[in-house]
Amino acid sequence: MVILEPSQGIKKVTGIDFDVLGDVVSMLYMNTHRKPVDFVCKIHKSRDPGVSQVTYTDDGKSGTKFDMKLDQTSRQTRKFVFGSILHELRHCCQLNIWNYWSDDVSKFKTYEDYFDSKEEKDARKAEKMTSIVIKMYDNAMKAKKLYKEYGLTKLG
């Protein structure tokens, strides 16, 4: 299960229910990969303008604990925010599922080398899922609301 732990600032700025988004992403990853995809990702505002990034926080590279810094300075459309989250979560999957992680960005001589790297190409592919993930999220939010409206949270 993918557990997303946003800071209060991220919750306020995005308005996203990260419990529901975590459930949607978990369902997508686990059904597609047919294996448990378990990690926790804390999400904070990025202090670097125009930069979103994710780092692992567990010393052993077990691929279960990550910190995401989410860009809050440019293009704050809903699609941009969801796309950025999906891009960074794909980097988490690269370590969690395939044990692939490149911590040394200094190995890239130019921005083009970084942009054309295997991990970045892969993460950009994940962004193509943005529209469908937004639809899944919206439907999950609608179902959650109806579940409560129909009084299904208690017996009787």
Side-chain angles (χ1 to χ4, degrees), residues 32-68:
T32 305
H33 296 290
R34 298 285 182 211
K35 64 186 258 183
V37 179
D38 298 314
F39 60 84
V40 176
C41 186
K42 294 183 180 187
I43 305 173
H44 305 280
K45 290 182 181 180
S46 177
R47 294 174 193 249
D48 298 326
V51 175
S52 289
Q53 65 182 14
V54 67
T55 55
Y56 63 88
T57 56
D58 49 345
D59 295 333
K61 274 195 186 178
S62 67
T64 59
K65 295 180 185 173
F66 297 92
D67 268 341
M68 182 187 302

Side-chain angles (χ1 to χ4, degrees), residues 80-98:
F80 175 79
V81 172
F82 273 83
S84 297
I85 291 169
L86 290 175
H87 178 102
E88 299 306 335
L89 288 177
R90 183 61 177 191
H91 287 304
C92 299
C93 286
Q94 289 169 355
L95 180 57
N96 187 271
I97 298 170
W98 298 287

Side-chain angles (χ1 to χ4, degrees), residues 64-77:
T64 59
K65 295 180 185 173
F66 297 92
D67 268 341
M68 182 187 302
K69 307 287 190 231
L70 199 57
D71 176 24
Q72 291 298 303
T73 58
S74 64
R75 302 179 306 222
Q76 289 304 305
T77 64

Side-chain angles (χ1 to χ4, degrees), residues 1 8-9 16-17 30-31 43 51 59 71-72 93 98-99 102 114 119-122 124 134 145 155:
M1 170 157 272
Q8 289 300 321
I16 294 171
D17 183 329
M30 288 193 278
N31 286 334
I43 305 173
V51 175
D59 295 333
D71 176 24
Q72 291 298 303
C93 286
W98 298 287
N99 204 25
S102 178
Y114 167 74
E119 57 269 29
E120 279 303 303
K121 283 182 178 178
D122 181 67
R124 283 194 305 277
I134 289 173
K145 181 181 175 194
L155 183 62

